[in-house]
Amino acid sequence: MAMSNWKIHVNLAIVSIAFFCNMLSYMTMEGLQSSLNAEAGTQSVSAKYIAYVLASFFLPTLAMEFFSSRLVIILGTVPYLLFTLANFYPKTYVMLPVGVLLGCGSSVIWTAKRVYISDLAGAYAKSKGTDEGGVTSHFYGIFWATFSLSLIVGNVLSSAVIHNFGMEPQDFNATAPNITLANNTLTNIPGPIVEKKFAVLRCGLHDCDENVGNSTSESTQTDSQTQLKAEVLYALFGAFAAMQLGSILLLSCFADDAPSRDEKTQKDHKVTTDIVTVCGDKVPARIQEDKPQKNTITKRVTQQMLATIKLLTYNHSAKAMILITIHIGALQSWALAQFTKYWVTCVIGIQYIGYVSAMLGLGSVIGGYGSGYLARYTGRSAIAAVAWFIEISVMIFLFIWEPEIQNQVWIFFAIFAAIGVLHTTYKTIIATATTMIFSEEKEAACATLCIWDPLGSAIVYMFSSTICNSSFIIMLVTLVSAGTVLYLITEFVHKRKGDAANTNRPIV
């Protein structure tokens, strides 16, 4: 049955609001894991990204074959709800299985979302007799604007609750003889010394100092949790769980299945839906068949896996893109896992995590639109080189910076905003370059983005409790430097092959 234009917009609003509620809750919870649940939480998130990588090879295709895109979104949201509920009892044997389920849910929910929105856009464009590409871009713009807003609102909300209601009164007594910080207590410090800059023990790059011991133990978690009121924390988790349950009910009760693009054709032919990867976005490709074929899904999954393996084995350009793609995932996860724990929570308190993390969402918006706009005039290579320079500058600053408690809170916000800009800039540039450089093997090449990006995130969370921050920063600098050089060489080689026009194509 055809869907009216009004219903199309209503369903677009419903799916956008549902993702807003779900991701507002989850992204805030992920940002708090390293400070609240240093071991079980970070291991669970690491398991999520590993499961996401493995499940992406086959689960989205299977899910979209047997269920509608709306139902897949509903089913994929359930693990997000379970992850929030698991935080009420954050034991490893509870969090790890939920993390695996969450990875599986993530692999299907994003695919189904793209299919659902593209089908809505196709139906709207058909009824209006307009260009489908423009409508799809407009619909995606509405969705991503809502999604970016969820990153900001969720983090600000959590920090506002913790800051105003969740902290013990003595945490704010900065003039008392005993000064309680997130990870240690400095006793009987003379007043003039308090006013001066000092490095907080076990914070930042001091997390592995020999004189204070290795802070990768549970001590950071225990000390920070003792400053929080449990009832307020659980109330916050309950509110997040309620929002995620609300998103499930909203999609179940008020959203419609996406309209089919081929209603007339479906009357005469059996139409199967295949999922084609376009730089991380799965879009439906309708294939008309007079007779059903057996093992279509099995063949499809096998072909995609073999094509991806072949590309990584024989194509040197694909190999050259591995390091920079791993770095994309590692950079954001390092910010959410390590920077929030050893800089934000440790120095200025857990109540600031949400405020600071909100800058990641704001920076992501600026980076996405800014890099796309500037690349029209400078090209991708110049943008990548500038991003490398900015990141190296930030990392060098972290090596020499001794964070102060007074008058330097703004620096934490600035660093997180810079990381948000860098992350989306790299992601935009590399995703676009992949479609241009591997135009003849686009599907296999873009599938590699679903491997290396989350793998970088998994590595960071996996070793977040065992590797010192100085080693983490060295790793990030090495990854971005080697990855950027290899990427620029790949772009140069591609130009020499005579495809300069596609190389400088504007990012959209």
Side-chain angles (χ1 to χ4, degrees):
M1 179 181 294
M3 184 181 293
S4 67
N5 291 337
W6 181 81
K7 287 290 290 182
I8 289 174
H9 282 97
V10 169
N11 280 279
L12 176 63
I14 289 174
V15 74
S16 298
I17 294 172
F19 268 82
F20 173 88
C21 294
N22 184 32
M23 291 302 155
L24 179 153
S25 305
Y26 171 72
M27 293 303 296
T28 306
M29 294 294 296
E30 181 177 326
L32 290 170
Q33 288 308 301
S34 61
S35 296
L36 293 178
N37 309 311
E39 295 294 334
T42 53
Q43 290 174 5
S44 177
V45 177
S46 177
K48 172 228 175 176
Y49 284 109
I50 293 174
Y52 179 87
V53 172
L54 299 176
S56 293
F57 280 108
F58 63 93
L59 195 56
T61 305
L62 290 174
M64 293 301 300
E65 175 68 12
F66 295 105
F67 304 104
S68 68
S69 55
R70 179 181 69 90
L71 184 56
V72 172
I73 295 175
I74 295 171
L75 296 175
T77 306
V78 173
Y80 286 87
L81 172 60
L82 295 178
F83 179 80
T84 301
L85 295 176
N87 276 267
F88 283 94
Y89 191 72
K91 301 297 182 180
T92 301
Y93 56 84
V94 175
M95 297 291 286
L96 272 180
V98 171
V100 173
L101 289 176
L102 181 59
C104 295
S106 298
S107 71
V108 300
I109 193 174
W110 292 105
T111 295
K113 177 270 302 180
R114 291 161 186 141
V115 172
Y116 189 84
I117 292 179
S118 64
D119 280 348
L120 290 178
Y124 185 82
K126 182 179 179 181
S127 68
K128 289 290 188 177
T130 187
D131 175 58
E132 183 177 338
V135 175
T136 302
S137 297
H138 176 63
F139 279 20
Y140 275 132
I142 294 173
F143 175 85
W144 286 113
T146 307
F147 174 80
S148 299
L149 185 62
S150 72
L151 301 180
I152 300 173
V153 173
N155 285 299
V156 171
L157 176 65
S158 66
S159 272
V161 172
I162 293 175
H163 199 168
N164 292 296
F165 305 104
M167 304 298 295
E168 297 293 345
Q170 60 265 29
D171 292 333
F172 300 102
N173 189 6
T175 60
N178 294 343
I179 302 176
T180 302
L181 303 176
N183 292 294
N184 49 268
T185 301
L186 305 180
T187 307
N188 298 323
I189 298 179
I193 295 180
V194 176
E195 298 296 331
K196 295 176 64 177
K197 177 177 71 176
F198 63 93
V200 182
L201 301 179
R202 296 188 298 183
C203 295
L205 293 182
H206 298 282
D207 66 314
C208 288
D209 283 353
E210 294 181 1
N211 61 323
V212 294
N214 191 333
S215 70
T216 54
S217 65
E218 289 290 340
S219 60
T220 301
Q221 175 191 4
T222 303
D223 292 336
S224 63
Q225 281 187 318
T226 56
Q227 299 187 33
L228 297 176
K229 296 179 181 178
E231 62 272 18
V232 174
L233 197 62
Y234 291 150
L236 187 65
F237 293 169
F240 287 154
M243 293 182 70
Q244 290 171 317
L245 179 60
S247 68
I248 294 174
L249 295 176
L250 185 65
L251 290 167
S252 301
C253 301
F254 298 101
D256 302 302
D257 286 334
S260 171
R261 304 185 183 200
D262 306 300
E263 292 183 7
K264 294 182 179 179
T265 308
Q266 280 184 320
K267 296 179 181 179
D268 303 317
H269 303 280
K270 173 181 173 56
V271 178
T272 61
T273 303
D274 198 9
I275 304 302
V276 179
T277 307
V278 180
C279 261
D281 286 348
K282 309 306 194 278
V283 297
R286 303 290 183 177
I287 304 175
Q288 297 181 11
E289 298 176 347
D290 293 319
K291 297 180 180 179
Q293 297 181 0
K294 296 181 179 180
N295 299 323
T296 301
I297 300 300
T298 302
K299 290 180 180 179
R300 178 66 184 149
V301 172
T302 303
Q303 288 174 356
Q304 179 173 325
M305 292 180 66
L306 291 177
T308 303
I309 294 173
K310 180 180 178 181
L311 180 72
L312 293 173
T313 303
Y314 297 106
N315 193 304
H316 296 303
S317 295
K319 297 175 184 177
M321 301 283 279
I322 292 176
L323 290 182
I324 191 64
T325 310
I326 290 176
H327 168 264
I328 292 173
L331 178 63
Q332 184 184 39
S333 296
W334 172 82
L336 292 174
Q338 298 300 102
F339 192 80
T340 56
K341 178 179 180 180
Y342 291 106
W343 274 272
V344 180
T345 297
C346 195
V347 179
I348 60 178
I350 193 173
Q351 69 272 23
Y352 280 95
I353 286 183
Y355 294 139
V356 174
S357 297
M359 298 302 295
L360 191 70
L362 181 60
S364 296
V365 175
I366 297 173
Y369 285 103
S371 61
Y373 177 79
L374 293 175
R376 300 183 182 189
Y377 305 99
T378 64
R380 293 188 301 272
S381 297
I383 297 296
V386 171
W388 170 84
F389 177 79
I390 294 174
E391 181 172 347
I392 294 297
S393 300
V394 170
M395 295 305 169
I396 291 176
F397 174 77
L398 290 177
F399 258 112
I400 63 177
W401 179 42
E402 293 289 357
E404 295 180 31
I405 296 199
Q406 296 184 0
N407 303 322
Q408 284 195 351
V409 174
W410 68 270
I411 296 179
F412 296 90
F413 288 81
I415 291 174
F416 241 80
I419 292 173
V421 172
L422 291 170
H423 178 258
T424 52
T425 296
Y426 288 127
K427 202 155 191 171
T428 302
I429 293 298
I430 298 304
T432 306
T434 300
T435 62
M436 300 293 104
I437 296 174
F438 307 100
S439 57
E440 296 182 357
E441 300 171 292
K442 185 181 297 184
E443 183 174 351
C446 291
T448 63
L449 299 181
C450 294
I451 299 175
W452 306 124
D453 187 333
L455 181 61
S457 297
I459 291 172
V460 170
Y461 279 107
M462 188 182 301
F463 296 105
S464 63
S465 297
T466 57
I467 296 181
C468 299
N469 281 322
S470 57
S471 300
F472 260 119
I473 291 180
I474 292 172
M475 179 192 74
L476 290 173
V477 169
T478 303
L479 275 176
V480 72
S481 298
T484 301
V485 169
L486 291 173
Y487 164 68
L488 294 177
I489 292 174
T490 303
E491 287 276 20
F492 177 74
V493 171
H494 182 57
K495 278 188 176 183
R496 290 192 61 182
K497 289 181 178 180
D499 206 4
N502 283 337
T503 303
N504 294 310
R505 184 178 177 182
I507 299 173
V508 294

